[in-house]
Amino acid sequence: MINPFVYFFLFFKASLFSTGGFTNLPSLRQDLIARSWAAPANFGEAIAIGQISPGPNGLWVVSLGYFTDGYLGALLALVAITLPPLLVLFIAGRYTRIERLPWVQGAMRGIAHAVVGLLITVVWTILHQPGVNLIGWCIAGVACMLALSRRINVLLILVVAGVAGYFIYR
Amino acid sequence: MRKHDSMQTISAGATLSPWRIFRLWARIGLESFGGGSATTLLIQRIFIDDLRLLTREEFAQLWSLCQLAPGINLVAICILLGKRFGGRWGIGIALAGFLLPSGSITCLLAALYASIARFAAVQAVVRGVVPATGGLMLVVCINFLRPLFAGTINKRGIAFPRILTTVLLIALAVFGVIALNLSAILVVFGSAVIGALWLAPSAPSADPAPQETVL
């Protein structure tokens, strides 16, 4: 029997001590499997749903919530990942008071570089998943070019990629 | 998107109606199939290119703040933009528009997936979509790179030291995460320290961005 309060706390804690949509995974995996509230396969399935569903990738935890505790679990997971990012208001409020300081401007420049680096690692991670071969890299390249052209809707690009995947890999 | 929306330029103090905020974020949440890359790209297109409510530099600054916040960065940027264009209520409305429709569909997809995941056709479609999300994330990277390289090539020549610094810092972040398996939070704060020590201007900025441009 899953205790909804503990269940919510585990999702909240994992999100509070993470950054981005996926770094809460290790904590959730450890806590939920230790309580037998989730099976290891649930995590891979939930991430797959997160890749093809609308909205941020971090909504993969909604899928995990559904797989582990049904619709209540999905709702609790959604609320749990919504609350921690509210701290950005506190951070932004303090930042506006000190933004003139040279070291703050330098720090923000440094972070801007880190952001690009982290995005590159995400691209690397996505393109090094099992099942992404040379054809997958070509699909990525075409998707990138189409998006850069700004002439094609992002959703349409993904639909075309899905259709291509169907005919190539089925 | 209505034509006149894409043509006008709105000042830094502009606000949006609650219904407009909800519709914008619902659209972002529902149209951004493919995860974070598609979502970030859509936010950039809507707020920077279509509505012209933000510059790329402002967006990059807000996005940098989101890297300091815990949890999903896209939720944090939703909160910041919700507050900027709708005040406190704008935060709740933006979050509701962004997460409730897309979260509901995600939940329903999870239920559907559980019943059809065994079919080879479904697995084939996923194998096509996943690398495409990587390509979209690359576009987001390029969009964030542009401000960093702005002004490095001009009539006076090419600013090689600045280009090298940029490339080196980005490479350090990539190396730290991929090769050293450092946590993303550690890399962000490490880069902040390096930036504070190395990239700080010699004098305080005389014309900093006004407070309204941040929130």
Side-chain angles (χ1 to χ4, degrees), chain B residues 129-180:
Chain B
V129 170
V130 167
T133 62
L136 296 178
M137 183 58 82
L138 198 55
V139 177
V140 176
C141 278
I142 293 169
N143 286 340
F144 278 116
L145 265 176
R146 285 176 179 169
L148 297 179
F149 283 109
T152 54
I153 301 176
N154 53 40
K155 292 178 181 176
R156 288 180 295 178
I158 302 173
F160 282 112
R162 194 173 148 203
I163 292 174
L164 279 175
T165 301
T166 298
V167 172
L168 180 63
L169 285 176
I170 293 171
L172 269 176
V174 173
F175 181 77
V177 173
I178 292 180
L180 303 180

mmCIF file of all heavy atoms in Angstrom, chain B residues 129-180:
data_model
loop_
_atom_site.group_PDB
_atom_site.id
_atom_site.type_symbol
_atom_site.label_atom_id
_atom_site.label_comp_id
_atom_site.label_asym_id
_atom_site.label_seq_id
_atom_site.Cartn_x
_atom_site.Cartn_y
_atom_site.Cartn_z
ATOM 1 N N VAL B 129 11.628 9.360 -33.620
ATOM 2 C CA VAL B 129 11.356 10.616 -32.912
ATOM 3 C C VAL B 129 12.522 10.999 -31.993
ATOM 4 O O VAL B 129 12.898 12.176 -31.912
ATOM 5 C CB VAL B 129 10.047 10.497 -32.105
ATOM 6 C CG1 VAL B 129 9.872 11.690 -31.172
ATOM 7 C CG2 VAL B 129 8.856 10.383 -33.045
ATOM 8 N N VAL B 130 13.104 10.032 -31.318
ATOM 9 C CA VAL B 130 14.142 10.335 -30.314
ATOM 10 C C VAL B 130 15.333 11.088 -30.914
ATOM 11 O O VAL B 130 15.729 12.141 -30.390
ATOM 12 C CB VAL B 130 14.587 9.041 -29.595
ATOM 13 C CG1 VAL B 130 15.861 9.293 -28.788
ATOM 14 C CG2 VAL B 130 13.478 8.550 -28.682
ATOM 15 N N PRO B 131 15.942 10.628 -32.024
ATOM 16 C CA PRO B 131 17.068 11.405 -32.566
ATOM 17 C C PRO B 131 16.644 12.776 -33.085
ATOM 18 O O PRO B 131 17.448 13.722 -33.048
ATOM 19 C CB PRO B 131 17.606 10.528 -33.701
ATOM 20 C CG PRO B 131 16.528 9.573 -34.019
ATOM 21 C CD PRO B 131 15.763 9.361 -32.753
ATOM 22 N N ALA B 132 15.402 12.896 -33.552
ATOM 23 C CA ALA B 132 14.932 14.210 -34.011
ATOM 24 C C ALA B 132 14.907 15.204 -32.846
ATOM 25 O O ALA B 132 15.211 16.395 -33.027
ATOM 26 C CB ALA B 132 13.540 14.083 -34.631
ATOM 27 N N THR B 133 14.568 14.731 -31.656
ATOM 28 C CA THR B 133 14.611 15.627 -30.493
ATOM 29 C C THR B 133 16.043 16.093 -30.221
ATOM 30 O O THR B 133 16.267 17.209 -29.769
ATOM 31 C CB THR B 133 14.058 14.943 -29.230
ATOM 32 O OG1 THR B 133 14.870 13.828 -28.910
ATOM 33 C CG2 THR B 133 12.625 14.492 -29.421
ATOM 34 N N GLY B 134 17.020 15.220 -30.526
ATOM 35 C CA GLY B 134 18.423 15.619 -30.396
ATOM 36 C C GLY B 134 18.774 16.744 -31.370
ATOM 37 O O GLY B 134 19.473 17.691 -31.012
ATOM 38 N N GLY B 135 18.260 16.642 -32.594
ATOM 39 C CA GLY B 135 18.489 17.687 -33.586
ATOM 40 C C GLY B 135 17.868 19.006 -33.165
ATOM 41 O O GLY B 135 18.454 20.076 -33.353
ATOM 42 N N LEU B 136 16.685 18.942 -32.570
ATOM 43 C CA LEU B 136 16.022 20.166 -32.104
ATOM 44 C C LEU B 136 16.796 20.791 -30.940
ATOM 45 O O LEU B 136 16.898 22.017 -30.833
ATOM 46 C CB LEU B 136 14.586 19.857 -31.679
ATOM 47 C CG LEU B 136 13.654 19.370 -32.796
ATOM 48 C CD1 LEU B 136 12.282 19.066 -32.239
ATOM 49 C CD2 LEU B 136 13.559 20.414 -33.893
ATOM 50 N N MET B 137 17.338 19.951 -30.069
ATOM 51 C CA MET B 137 18.126 20.468 -28.949
ATOM 52 C C MET B 137 19.381 21.183 -29.458
ATOM 53 O O MET B 137 19.837 22.165 -28.877
ATOM 54 C CB MET B 137 18.505 19.328 -28.002
ATOM 55 C CG MET B 137 19.273 19.782 -26.777
ATOM 56 S SD MET B 137 18.403 21.004 -25.775
ATOM 57 C CE MET B 137 17.327 19.957 -24.809
ATOM 58 N N LEU B 138 19.911 20.695 -30.581
ATOM 59 C CA LEU B 138 21.075 21.342 -31.184
ATOM 60 C C LEU B 138 20.728 22.763 -31.634
ATOM 61 O O LEU B 138 21.548 23.690 -31.507
ATOM 62 C CB LEU B 138 21.574 20.504 -32.369
ATOM 63 C CG LEU B 138 22.986 20.772 -32.865
ATOM 64 C CD1 LEU B 138 23.994 20.649 -31.755
ATOM 65 C CD2 LEU B 138 23.321 19.831 -34.013
ATOM 66 N N VAL B 139 19.527 22.947 -32.138
ATOM 67 C CA VAL B 139 19.088 24.288 -32.546
ATOM 68 C C VAL B 139 19.008 25.203 -31.319
ATOM 69 O O VAL B 139 19.397 26.375 -31.374
ATOM 70 C CB VAL B 139 17.722 24.222 -33.252
ATOM 71 C CG1 VAL B 139 17.228 25.624 -33.604
ATOM 72 C CG2 VAL B 139 17.824 23.380 -34.508
ATOM 73 N N VAL B 140 18.503 24.654 -30.225
ATOM 74 C CA VAL B 140 18.449 25.438 -28.980
ATOM 75 C C VAL B 140 19.860 25.846 -28.568
ATOM 76 O O VAL B 140 20.104 26.985 -28.141
ATOM 77 C CB VAL B 140 17.759 24.623 -27.867
ATOM 78 C CG1 VAL B 140 17.783 25.397 -26.557
ATOM 79 C CG2 VAL B 140 16.328 24.297 -28.259
ATOM 80 N N CYS B 141 20.804 24.914 -28.692
ATOM 81 C CA CYS B 141 22.216 25.213 -28.386
ATOM 82 C C CYS B 141 22.696 26.391 -29.227
ATOM 83 O O CYS B 141 23.333 27.323 -28.711
ATOM 84 C CB CYS B 141 23.100 24.010 -28.714
ATOM 85 S SG CYS B 141 23.157 22.772 -27.469
ATOM 86 N N ILE B 142 22.413 26.332 -30.504
ATOM 87 C CA ILE B 142 22.873 27.386 -31.425
ATOM 88 C C ILE B 142 22.263 28.724 -31.026
ATOM 89 O O ILE B 142 22.938 29.759 -31.038
ATOM 90 C CB ILE B 142 22.502 27.005 -32.880
ATOM 91 C CG1 ILE B 142 23.310 25.783 -33.319
ATOM 92 C CG2 ILE B 142 22.734 28.180 -33.829
ATOM 93 C CD1 ILE B 142 22.843 25.155 -34.616
ATOM 94 N N ASN B 143 21.001 28.705 -30.648
ATOM 95 C CA ASN B 143 20.345 29.951 -30.234
ATOM 96 C C ASN B 143 21.004 30.543 -28.987
ATOM 97 O O ASN B 143 21.096 31.755 -28.838
ATOM 98 C CB ASN B 143 18.859 29.706 -29.975
ATOM 99 C CG ASN B 143 18.088 29.535 -31.268
ATOM 100 O OD1 ASN B 143 18.537 29.950 -32.326
ATOM 101 N ND2 ASN B 143 16.938 28.905 -31.193
ATOM 102 N N PHE B 144 21.435 29.685 -28.070
ATOM 103 C CA PHE B 144 22.104 30.178 -26.864
ATOM 104 C C PHE B 144 23.550 30.586 -27.156
ATOM 105 O O PHE B 144 24.135 31.384 -26.425
ATOM 106 C CB PHE B 144 22.086 29.114 -25.770
ATOM 107 C CG PHE B 144 20.791 29.067 -25.012
ATOM 108 C CD1 PHE B 144 19.984 27.950 -25.050
ATOM 109 C CD2 PHE B 144 20.368 30.158 -24.263
ATOM 110 C CE1 PHE B 144 18.777 27.904 -24.360
ATOM 111 C CE2 PHE B 144 19.173 30.125 -23.580
ATOM 112 C CZ PHE B 144 18.372 29.006 -23.622
ATOM 113 N N LEU B 145 24.135 30.011 -28.196
ATOM 114 C CA LEU B 145 25.516 30.345 -28.556
ATOM 115 C C LEU B 145 25.623 31.734 -29.167
ATOM 116 O O LEU B 145 26.621 32.428 -28.998
ATOM 117 C CB LEU B 145 26.057 29.319 -29.554
ATOM 118 C CG LEU B 145 26.850 28.151 -28.992
ATOM 119 C CD1 LEU B 145 27.218 27.196 -30.118
ATOM 120 C CD2 LEU B 145 28.110 28.631 -28.296
ATOM 121 N N ARG B 146 24.596 32.145 -29.892
ATOM 122 C CA ARG B 146 24.666 33.406 -30.639
ATOM 123 C C ARG B 146 25.041 34.603 -29.765
ATOM 124 O O ARG B 146 25.937 35.371 -30.135
ATOM 125 C CB ARG B 146 23.340 33.655 -31.358
ATOM 126 C CG ARG B 146 23.171 32.768 -32.582
ATOM 127 C CD ARG B 146 21.810 32.970 -33.206
ATOM 128 N NE ARG B 146 21.644 32.150 -34.402
ATOM 129 C CZ ARG B 146 20.493 31.972 -35.016
ATOM 130 N NH1 ARG B 146 19.400 32.539 -34.546
ATOM 131 N NH2 ARG B 146 20.406 31.219 -36.089
ATOM 132 N N PRO B 147 24.388 34.793 -28.601
ATOM 133 C CA PRO B 147 24.781 35.947 -27.772
ATOM 134 C C PRO B 147 26.230 35.869 -27.291
ATOM 135 O O PRO B 147 26.885 36.890 -27.131
ATOM 136 C CB PRO B 147 23.809 35.875 -26.583
ATOM 137 C CG PRO B 147 22.666 35.076 -27.064
ATOM 138 C CD PRO B 147 23.236 34.091 -28.032
ATOM 139 N N LEU B 148 26.721 34.640 -27.076
ATOM 140 C CA LEU B 148 28.096 34.494 -26.581
ATOM 141 C C LEU B 148 29.121 34.902 -27.626
ATOM 142 O O LEU B 148 30.213 35.365 -27.298
ATOM 143 C CB LEU B 148 28.340 33.045 -26.141
ATOM 144 C CG LEU B 148 27.486 32.539 -24.980
ATOM 145 C CD1 LEU B 148 27.819 31.089 -24.660
ATOM 146 C CD2 LEU B 148 27.678 33.407 -23.750
ATOM 147 N N PHE B 149 28.771 34.722 -28.891
ATOM 148 C CA PHE B 149 29.705 35.080 -29.964
ATOM 149 C C PHE B 149 29.390 36.436 -30.579
ATOM 150 O O PHE B 149 30.087 36.849 -31.499
ATOM 151 C CB PHE B 149 29.672 34.001 -31.059
ATOM 152 C CG PHE B 149 30.431 32.759 -30.689
ATOM 153 C CD1 PHE B 149 29.763 31.583 -30.392
ATOM 154 C CD2 PHE B 149 31.817 32.767 -30.632
ATOM 155 C CE1 PHE B 149 30.459 30.439 -30.039
ATOM 156 C CE2 PHE B 149 32.526 31.626 -30.289
ATOM 157 C CZ PHE B 149 31.842 30.456 -29.992
ATOM 158 N N ALA B 150 28.360 37.098 -30.075
ATOM 159 C CA ALA B 150 27.972 38.392 -30.643
ATOM 160 C C ALA B 150 29.122 39.382 -30.526
ATOM 161 O O ALA B 150 29.719 39.548 -29.461
ATOM 162 C CB ALA B 150 26.734 38.924 -29.927
ATOM 163 N N GLY B 151 29.439 40.049 -31.621
ATOM 164 C CA GLY B 151 30.476 41.089 -31.610
ATOM 165 C C GLY B 151 31.895 40.565 -31.691
ATOM 166 O O GLY B 151 32.843 41.349 -31.645
ATOM 167 N N THR B 152 32.059 39.267 -31.816
ATOM 168 C CA THR B 152 33.429 38.728 -31.883
ATOM 169 C C THR B 152 34.040 38.927 -33.273
ATOM 170 O O THR B 152 35.250 38.864 -33.415
ATOM 171 C CB THR B 152 33.454 37.223 -31.542
ATOM 172 O OG1 THR B 152 32.517 36.553 -32.385
ATOM 173 C CG2 THR B 152 33.086 36.999 -30.087
ATOM 174 N N ILE B 153 33.189 39.106 -34.264
ATOM 175 C CA ILE B 153 33.684 39.372 -35.618
ATOM 176 C C ILE B 153 33.090 40.705 -36.077
ATOM 177 O O ILE B 153 31.876 40.829 -36.223
ATOM 178 C CB ILE B 153 33.293 38.247 -36.597
ATOM 179 C CG1 ILE B 153 33.853 36.905 -36.109
ATOM 180 C CG2 ILE B 153 33.790 38.557 -38.012
ATOM 181 C CD1 ILE B 153 33.434 35.731 -36.952
ATOM 182 N N ASN B 154 33.942 41.698 -36.246
ATOM 183 C CA ASN B 154 33.472 43.005 -36.693
ATOM 184 C C ASN B 154 34.523 43.649 -37.588
ATOM 185 O O ASN B 154 35.495 43.000 -38.002
ATOM 186 C CB ASN B 154 33.134 43.893 -35.486
ATOM 187 C CG ASN B 154 34.291 43.964 -34.505
ATOM 188 O OD1 ASN B 154 35.456 44.052 -34.929
ATOM 189 N ND2 ASN B 154 33.993 43.900 -33.211
ATOM 190 N N LYS B 155 34.340 44.958 -37.858
ATOM 191 C CA LYS B 155 35.234 45.651 -38.801
ATOM 192 C C LYS B 155 36.665 45.710 -38.280
ATOM 193 O O LYS B 155 37.618 45.802 -39.055
ATOM 194 C CB LYS B 155 34.716 47.071 -39.045
ATOM 195 C CG LYS B 155 33.407 47.098 -39.817
ATOM 196 C CD LYS B 155 32.909 48.526 -39.988
ATOM 197 C CE LYS B 155 31.579 48.535 -40.736
ATOM 198 N NZ LYS B 155 31.026 49.910 -40.842
ATOM 199 N N ARG B 156 36.812 45.691 -36.941
ATOM 200 C CA ARG B 156 38.164 45.781 -36.379
ATOM 201 C C ARG B 156 38.898 44.450 -36.401
ATOM 202 O O ARG B 156 40.060 44.363 -36.048
ATOM 203 C CB ARG B 156 38.084 46.306 -34.941
ATOM 204 C CG ARG B 156 37.721 47.780 -34.872
ATOM 205 C CD ARG B 156 37.653 48.264 -33.444
ATOM 206 N NE ARG B 156 36.577 47.628 -32.702
ATOM 207 C CZ ARG B 156 36.321 47.852 -31.433
ATOM 208 N NH1 ARG B 156 37.071 48.658 -30.743
ATOM 209 N NH2 ARG B 156 35.298 47.258 -30.841
ATOM 210 N N GLY B 157 38.204 43.396 -36.762
ATOM 211 C CA GLY B 157 38.852 42.099 -36.857
ATOM 212 C C GLY B 157 38.093 41.037 -36.080
ATOM 213 O O GLY B 157 36.916 41.211 -35.755
ATOM 214 N N ILE B 158 38.791 39.957 -35.796
ATOM 215 C CA ILE B 158 38.191 38.830 -35.080
ATOM 216 C C ILE B 158 38.759 38.778 -33.669
ATOM 217 O O ILE B 158 39.983 38.784 -33.490
ATOM 218 C CB ILE B 158 38.475 37.508 -35.813
ATOM 219 C CG1 ILE B 158 37.931 37.588 -37.250
ATOM 220 C CG2 ILE B 158 37.850 36.331 -35.074
ATOM 221 C CD1 ILE B 158 38.310 36.396 -38.105
ATOM 222 N N ALA B 159 37.870 38.734 -32.678
ATOM 223 C CA ALA B 159 38.291 38.709 -31.275
ATOM 224 C C ALA B 159 38.632 37.279 -30.868
ATOM 225 O O ALA B 159 37.851 36.608 -30.181
ATOM 226 C CB ALA B 159 37.192 39.284 -30.389
ATOM 227 N N PHE B 160 39.823 36.827 -31.289
ATOM 228 C CA PHE B 160 40.208 35.440 -31.044
ATOM 229 C C PHE B 160 40.250 35.076 -29.551
ATOM 230 O O PHE B 160 39.786 33.987 -29.168
ATOM 231 C CB PHE B 160 41.566 35.143 -31.697
ATOM 232 C CG PHE B 160 41.478 34.925 -33.170
ATOM 233 C CD1 PHE B 160 42.027 35.834 -34.053
ATOM 234 C CD2 PHE B 160 40.823 33.812 -33.693
ATOM 235 C CE1 PHE B 160 41.930 35.642 -35.421
ATOM 236 C CE2 PHE B 160 40.728 33.604 -35.055
ATOM 237 C CZ PHE B 160 41.280 34.531 -35.922
ATOM 238 N N PRO B 161 40.800 35.934 -28.671
ATOM 239 C CA PRO B 161 40.821 35.551 -27.249
ATOM 240 C C PRO B 161 39.438 35.285 -26.689
ATOM 241 O O PRO B 161 39.236 34.334 -25.928
ATOM 242 C CB PRO B 161 41.469 36.769 -26.583
ATOM 243 C CG PRO B 161 42.270 37.430 -27.652
ATOM 244 C CD PRO B 161 41.492 37.208 -28.906
ATOM 245 N N ARG B 162 38.464 36.125 -27.069
ATOM 246 C CA ARG B 162 37.104 35.925 -26.562
ATOM 247 C C ARG B 162 36.474 34.643 -27.112
ATOM 248 O O ARG B 162 35.799 33.908 -26.396
ATOM 249 C CB ARG B 162 36.255 37.137 -26.950
ATOM 250 C CG ARG B 162 34.957 37.186 -26.185
ATOM 251 C CD ARG B 162 34.210 38.466 -26.464
ATOM 252 N NE ARG B 162 32.781 38.196 -26.400
ATOM 253 C CZ ARG B 162 31.874 38.930 -26.990
ATOM 254 N NH1 ARG B 162 32.214 39.970 -27.702
ATOM 255 N NH2 ARG B 162 30.598 38.625 -26.881
ATOM 256 N N ILE B 163 36.756 34.387 -28.393
ATOM 257 C CA ILE B 163 36.231 33.153 -28.994
ATOM 258 C C ILE B 163 36.838 31.943 -28.308
ATOM 259 O O ILE B 163 36.138 30.976 -27.962
ATOM 260 C CB ILE B 163 36.536 33.133 -30.512
ATOM 261 C CG1 ILE B 163 35.720 34.225 -31.221
ATOM 262 C CG2 ILE B 163 36.214 31.758 -31.101
ATOM 263 C CD1 ILE B 163 36.065 34.387 -32.691
ATOM 264 N N LEU B 164 38.162 31.999 -28.079
ATOM 265 C CA LEU B 164 38.834 30.871 -27.423
ATOM 266 C C LEU B 164 38.301 30.666 -26.001
ATOM 267 O O LEU B 164 38.107 29.525 -25.565
ATOM 268 C CB LEU B 164 40.346 31.126 -27.383
ATOM 269 C CG LEU B 164 41.107 30.798 -28.670
ATOM 270 C CD1 LEU B 164 42.563 31.206 -28.535
ATOM 271 C CD2 LEU B 164 40.984 29.311 -28.999
ATOM 272 N N THR B 165 38.083 31.770 -25.288
ATOM 273 C CA THR B 165 37.549 31.667 -23.927
ATOM 274 C C THR B 165 36.185 30.994 -23.927
ATOM 275 O O THR B 165 35.903 30.104 -23.113
ATOM 276 C CB THR B 165 37.432 33.078 -23.304
ATOM 277 O OG1 THR B 165 38.729 33.689 -23.296
ATOM 278 C CG2 THR B 165 36.909 32.998 -21.885
ATOM 279 N N THR B 166 35.339 31.422 -24.853
ATOM 280 C CA THR B 166 34.000 30.843 -24.944
ATOM 281 C C THR B 166 34.056 29.347 -25.234
ATOM 282 O O THR B 166 33.405 28.541 -24.560
ATOM 283 C CB THR B 166 33.188 31.563 -26.041
ATOM 284 O OG1 THR B 166 33.056 32.937 -25.687
ATOM 285 C CG2 THR B 166 31.821 30.945 -26.213
ATOM 286 N N VAL B 167 34.856 28.998 -26.237
ATOM 287 C CA VAL B 167 34.968 27.584 -26.616
ATOM 288 C C VAL B 167 35.533 26.764 -25.461
ATOM 289 O O VAL B 167 35.051 25.665 -25.157
ATOM 290 C CB VAL B 167 35.848 27.436 -27.881
ATOM 291 C CG1 VAL B 167 36.144 25.968 -28.167
ATOM 292 C CG2 VAL B 167 35.163 28.084 -29.074
ATOM 293 N N LEU B 168 36.536 27.314 -24.771
ATOM 294 C CA LEU B 168 37.178 26.586 -23.673
ATOM 295 C C LEU B 168 36.195 26.344 -22.523
ATOM 296 O O LEU B 168 36.122 25.232 -21.972
ATOM 297 C CB LEU B 168 38.392 27.374 -23.179
ATOM 298 C CG LEU B 168 39.174 26.750 -22.017
ATOM 299 C CD1 LEU B 168 39.770 25.411 -22.441
ATOM 300 C CD2 LEU B 168 40.290 27.681 -21.544
ATOM 301 N N LEU B 169 35.435 27.371 -22.152
ATOM 302 C CA LEU B 169 34.495 27.207 -21.040
ATOM 303 C C LEU B 169 33.388 26.206 -21.371
ATOM 304 O O LEU B 169 32.982 25.406 -20.528
ATOM 305 C CB LEU B 169 33.889 28.569 -20.680
ATOM 306 C CG LEU B 169 34.808 29.519 -19.919
ATOM 307 C CD1 LEU B 169 34.146 30.869 -19.698
ATOM 308 C CD2 LEU B 169 35.200 28.914 -18.577
ATOM 309 N N ILE B 170 32.903 26.271 -22.596
ATOM 310 C CA ILE B 170 31.868 25.307 -23.008
ATOM 311 C C ILE B 170 32.439 23.892 -23.006
ATOM 312 O O ILE B 170 31.816 22.951 -22.512
ATOM 313 C CB ILE B 170 31.315 25.681 -24.396
ATOM 314 C CG1 ILE B 170 30.551 27.004 -24.320
ATOM 315 C CG2 ILE B 170 30.417 24.575 -24.932
ATOM 316 C CD1 ILE B 170 30.143 27.566 -25.662
ATOM 317 N N ALA B 171 33.659 23.765 -23.541
ATOM 318 C CA ALA B 171 34.290 22.441 -23.580
ATOM 319 C C ALA B 171 34.521 21.907 -22.168
ATOM 320 O O ALA B 171 34.352 20.703 -21.915
ATOM 321 C CB ALA B 171 35.619 22.532 -24.338
ATOM 322 N N LEU B 172 34.879 22.792 -21.243
ATOM 323 C CA LEU B 172 35.083 22.363 -19.854
ATOM 324 C C LEU B 172 33.786 21.810 -19.256
ATOM 325 O O LEU B 172 33.784 20.787 -18.566
ATOM 326 C CB LEU B 172 35.558 23.549 -19.013
ATOM 327 C CG LEU B 172 37.070 23.766 -18.893
ATOM 328 C CD1 LEU B 172 37.355 25.036 -18.097
ATOM 329 C CD2 LEU B 172 37.737 22.565 -18.233
ATOM 330 N N ALA B 173 32.678 22.490 -19.535
ATOM 331 C CA ALA B 173 31.389 22.032 -19.016
ATOM 332 C C ALA B 173 31.024 20.668 -19.592
ATOM 333 O O ALA B 173 30.584 19.761 -18.870
ATOM 334 C CB ALA B 173 30.304 23.060 -19.339
ATOM 335 N N VAL B 174 31.228 20.519 -20.900
ATOM 336 C CA VAL B 174 30.913 19.234 -21.551
ATOM 337 C C VAL B 174 31.799 18.131 -20.982
ATOM 338 O O VAL B 174 31.324 17.032 -20.638
ATOM 339 C CB VAL B 174 31.098 19.348 -23.083
ATOM 340 C CG1 VAL B 174 30.931 17.987 -23.745
ATOM 341 C CG2 VAL B 174 30.110 20.351 -23.656
ATOM 342 N N PHE B 175 33.104 18.438 -20.860
ATOM 343 C CA PHE B 175 34.048 17.441 -20.344
ATOM 344 C C PHE B 175 33.691 17.060 -18.902
ATOM 345 O O PHE B 175 33.740 15.878 -18.531
ATOM 346 C CB PHE B 175 35.469 18.021 -20.404
ATOM 347 C CG PHE B 175 36.536 17.076 -19.923
ATOM 348 C CD1 PHE B 175 36.978 16.044 -20.728
ATOM 349 C CD2 PHE B 175 37.088 17.219 -18.655
ATOM 350 C CE1 PHE B 175 37.956 15.171 -20.280
ATOM 351 C CE2 PHE B 175 38.066 16.352 -18.199
ATOM 352 C CZ PHE B 175 38.502 15.327 -19.014
ATOM 353 N N GLY B 176 33.319 18.047 -18.119
ATOM 354 C CA GLY B 176 32.988 17.774 -16.718
ATOM 355 C C GLY B 176 31.813 16.826 -16.578
ATOM 356 O O GLY B 176 31.820 15.932 -15.727
ATOM 357 N N VAL B 177 30.803 17.010 -17.421
ATOM 358 C CA VAL B 177 29.599 16.176 -17.307
ATOM 359 C C VAL B 177 29.812 14.800 -17.929
ATOM 360 O O VAL B 177 29.504 13.768 -17.315
ATOM 361 C CB VAL B 177 28.392 16.882 -17.974
ATOM 362 C CG1 VAL B 177 27.184 15.946 -18.014
ATOM 363 C CG2 VAL B 177 28.046 18.153 -17.217
ATOM 364 N N ILE B 178 30.360 14.786 -19.159
ATOM 365 C CA ILE B 178 30.465 13.510 -19.891
ATOM 366 C C ILE B 178 31.644 12.666 -19.407
ATOM 367 O O ILE B 178 31.491 11.472 -19.125
ATOM 368 C CB ILE B 178 30.580 13.770 -21.405
ATOM 369 C CG1 ILE B 178 29.254 14.337 -21.921
ATOM 370 C CG2 ILE B 178 30.925 12.471 -22.150
ATOM 371 C CD1 ILE B 178 29.236 14.629 -23.401
ATOM 372 N N ALA B 179 32.827 13.276 -19.299
ATOM 373 C CA ALA B 179 34.020 12.495 -18.966
ATOM 374 C C ALA B 179 34.183 12.301 -17.463
ATOM 375 O O ALA B 179 34.551 11.213 -17.018
ATOM 376 C CB ALA B 179 35.258 13.180 -19.546
ATOM 377 N N LEU B 180 33.911 13.356 -16.688
ATOM 378 C CA LEU B 180 34.122 13.262 -15.243
ATOM 379 C C LEU B 180 32.843 12.900 -14.493
ATOM 380 O O LEU B 180 32.876 12.689 -13.277
ATOM 381 C CB LEU B 180 34.685 14.588 -14.700
ATOM 382 C CG LEU B 180 36.000 15.064 -15.336
ATOM 383 C CD1 LEU B 180 36.446 16.383 -14.710
ATOM 384 C CD2 LEU B 180 37.091 14.012 -15.169
#
